[in-house]
């Protein structure tokens, strides 16, 4: 058998898995339907937020701490810019999920943070104009990642350690065999001892037998040129932010990282519509631009300024918006799956790659991933209560 592990999908998670597997001496075949670091899925757009005071659930924090260590390793080994820790503000009313959830994680794991009232936010970050009843949790270790660089760095490391990477070769299907797995592509068939499946928005097709419903959503990110230029929005002056309004609508944004004419990136979080990779509408409408412009104007008065451009990507959501990282329930010894990252997964790419290498080679991992067992979703769909483990009760610090 020429390969120990096949990695199906070489986006954020798959590229990281290929790199970690190859570093450990595994004979790796990576298969990708598009080119390297492409813009057809969910790992593009120039920037992604990273943060540790995680409002989604404190259970994610140990993985984030490890991911931060691995960002540094990735930059050191490849020379590519990966992380810019410019600080981050989680803003909204004190009882909002964004603020209260971030505070819960920060306190649970003793993460450095500050709670700022509206006056202090306005003083420290003149680009922002919160309402008097809004507050913010500021985290100095938050910031942004370069997704294309991250994928490229992992692909370079995988190739450096001997992985065979094949692009423009979509998978048609896979099956478990007596001695491993068989993957069929548009060009042929390949066998290996184990398969790591990182399908992104193609999860509904490639993992139809997982017993989990996925919702793929079209999302749009925008770039605006601020009135007066990008100077006040440079990373040393303007943090990344996630802002929740009184109706629970979340928007997010970044500092200006692409030069004087590059503008400032902003978007709604989870304001998309259902699609598939084949049917996604890549055209951004004027009404979509106006909706975001009207929203950010009240919070970032130098924006919207001039709208520069917009791009689409896809979120692949699970019912509870938490990840799936586990051995395939029907074929645990033959296949490992990583999917359903629900719009907040990219910051975990290096540690997910480490976990997937653990599971493929050893069948277990030291990282706390019971939270991500797909059986929790199958239990919920069946109307039964998941166990404490599958429900994701976070480990204590």
């Amino acid at each position: 058998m020429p390969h120990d592990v096949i990695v199906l999908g070489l986006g954020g998670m798959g590229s990281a898995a290929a790199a970690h597997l190859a570093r450990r001496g595994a004979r790796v075949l990576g298969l990708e339907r598009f080119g390297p670091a492409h813009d057809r899925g969910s790992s593009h757009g120039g920037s992604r937020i990273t943060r540790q005071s995680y409002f989604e659930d404190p259970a994610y924090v140990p993985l984030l701490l490890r991911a931060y260590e691995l960002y540094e390793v990735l930059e050191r080994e490849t020379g590519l810019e990966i992380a810019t820790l410019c600080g981050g503000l989680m803003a909204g009313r004190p009882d909002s999920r964004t603020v209260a959830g971030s505070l819960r994680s920060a306190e649970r794991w003793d993460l450095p943070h500050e709670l700022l009232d509206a006056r202090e936010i306005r003083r420290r970050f003149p680009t922002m104009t919160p309402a008097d009843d809004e507050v913010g949790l500021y985290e100095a270790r938050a910031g942004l990642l370069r997704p294309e660089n991250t994928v490229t760095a992992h692909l370079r490391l995988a190739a450096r350690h001997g992985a065979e990477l094949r692009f423009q070769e979509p998978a048609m299907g896979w099956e478990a065999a007596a001695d491993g797995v068989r993957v069929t592509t548009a060009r042929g068939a390949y066998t290996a001892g184990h398969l790591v499946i990182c399908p992104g928005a193609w999860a509904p097709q490639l993992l139809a037998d997982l017993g989990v419903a996925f919702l793929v959503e079209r999302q749009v990110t925008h770039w605006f040129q601020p009135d007066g230029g990008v100077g006040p929005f440079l990373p040393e002056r303007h943090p990344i932010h996630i802002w929740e309004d009184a109706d629970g609508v979340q928007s997010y944004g970044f500092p200006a990282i692409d030069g004087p004419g590059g503008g400032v990136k902003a978007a709604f979080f989870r304001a998309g519509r259902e699609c598939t990779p084949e049917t996604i509408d890549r055209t951004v409408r004027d009404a979509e631009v106006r909706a975001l412009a009207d929203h950010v104007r009240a919070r970032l008065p130098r924006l919207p300024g001039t709208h520069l451009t917009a791009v689409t990507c896809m979120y692949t959501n699970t019912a509870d918006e938490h990840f799936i990282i586990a051995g395939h329930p029907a074929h645990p010894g033959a296949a490992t799956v990583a999917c359903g990252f629900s719009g907040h997964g990219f910051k975990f790419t290096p540690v997910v790659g480490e976990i997937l290498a653990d599971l493929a080679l050893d069948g277990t991992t030291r990282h706390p991933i019971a939270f991500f067992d797909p059986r929790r979703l199958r239990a919920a769909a069946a109307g039964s209560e998941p166990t404490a483990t599958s429900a994701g009760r976070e480990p204590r610090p």
Side-chain angles (χ1 to χ4, degrees):
M1 188 173 295
H3 302 105
D4 298 315
V5 183
I6 296 173
V7 178
L8 193 53
L10 294 173
M13 306 307 175
S15 63
H20 282 277
L21 284 161
R23 181 198 297 276
R24 298 187 198 182
R27 295 170 296 174
V28 177
L29 172 64
L31 298 171
E32 168 57 52
R33 68 176 54 237
F34 299 112
H38 62 81
D39 64 355
R40 301 287 90 187
S42 306
S43 299
H44 60 281
S47 56
R48 288 289 187 278
I49 285 175
T50 189
R51 51 196 165 90
Q52 295 181 350
S53 299
Y54 217 61
F55 63 77
E56 287 85 350
D57 198 293
Y60 286 92
V61 174
L63 300 180
L64 287 162
L65 298 176
R66 177 58 177 159
Y68 271 58
E69 295 173 349
L70 292 172
Y71 299 154
E72 296 181 8
V73 173
L74 197 57
E75 288 183 324
R76 185 168 62 248
E77 293 190 344
T78 65
L80 292 175
E81 178 187 358
I82 304 297
T84 300
L85 302 184
C86 56
L89 188 75
M90 310 302 124
R93 292 182 175 178
D95 61 349
S96 66
R97 182 191 185 203
T98 302
V99 175
S102 298
L103 181 60
R104 184 164 69 107
S105 282
E107 292 180 339
R108 179 69 55 86
W109 292 97
D110 196 25
L111 301 173
H113 67 282
E114 300 174 74
L115 277 177
L116 310 179
D117 61 19
R119 179 180 297 179
E120 181 62 11
I121 293 171
R122 291 190 290 262
R123 185 193 70 80
R124 196 178 297 191
F125 307 116
T127 49
M128 298 181 171
T129 55
D132 288 342
D133 64 346
E134 292 183 314
V135 300
L137 182 144
Y138 178 73
E139 179 188 336
R141 292 279 289 167
L144 61 95
L145 304 172
R146 294 283 195 173
E148 290 88 349
N149 279 7
T150 304
V151 173
T152 298
H154 279 132
L155 292 176
R156 287 183 183 176
L157 286 179
R160 185 184 302 172
H161 290 284
E164 179 185 354
L165 306 177
R166 292 176 173 263
F167 298 97
Q168 307 296 339
E169 188 166 352
M172 313 302 290
W174 67 277
E175 60 184 354
D179 58 348
V181 293
R182 177 184 174 90
V183 177
T184 304
T185 75
R187 298 183 189 175
Y190 307 94
T191 58
H194 198 88
L195 175 64
V196 173
I197 309 172
C198 302
W202 287 262
Q205 296 97 311
L206 289 172
L207 292 172
D209 63 342
L210 195 62
V212 172
F214 297 100
L215 174 65
V216 179
E217 287 185 324
R218 170 187 178 271
Q219 304 290 328
V220 183
T221 53
H222 301 257
W223 284 259
F224 298 95
Q225 185 69 6
D227 292 333
V230 299
F233 290 87
L234 294 175
E236 60 269 24
R237 300 177 181 177
H238 180 79
I240 62 95
H241 68 271
I242 300 175
W243 207 318
E244 182 175 340
D245 70 14
D247 296 322
V249 175
Q250 291 173 305
S251 59
Y252 63 93
F254 295 82
I257 58 173
D258 295 318
V264 174
K265 181 180 173 183
F268 286 117
F269 188 42
R270 303 194 185 287
R273 59 178 181 265
E274 187 173 357
C275 69
T276 70
E278 293 74 31
T279 63
I280 181 173
D281 183 357
R282 301 281 182 182
T283 300
V284 178
R285 314 297 178 189
D286 290 344
E288 295 176 291
V289 177
R290 288 195 300 270
L292 183 64
D294 291 344
H295 185 85
V296 301
R297 186 178 286 113
R299 294 159 181 82
L300 302 160
R302 291 178 180 266
L303 297 181
T306 302
H307 187 259
L308 297 177
T309 191
V311 300
T312 58
C313 70
M314 291 176 284
Y315 288 179
T316 306
N317 302 300
T318 62
D320 61 8
E321 297 176 356
H322 297 306
F323 309 159
I324 292 174
I325 307 173
H328 191 294
H331 314 286
T336 299
V337 297
C339 56
F341 288 96
S342 302
H344 63 106
F346 191 86
K347 62 185 71 64
F348 296 88
T349 52
V351 69
V352 170
E354 187 171 66
I355 291 166
L356 294 175
D358 290 344
L359 295 177
L361 299 179
D362 304 326
T364 187
T365 181
R366 64 182 175 85
H367 293 292
I369 64 164
F371 193 14
F372 305 132
D373 192 319
R375 288 175 294 182
R376 76 186 190 275
L377 296 167
R378 299 165 77 173
S384 62
E385 288 294 325
T387 65
T389 297
S390 63
R393 300 296 188 260
E394 70 274 6
R396 303 295 296 183

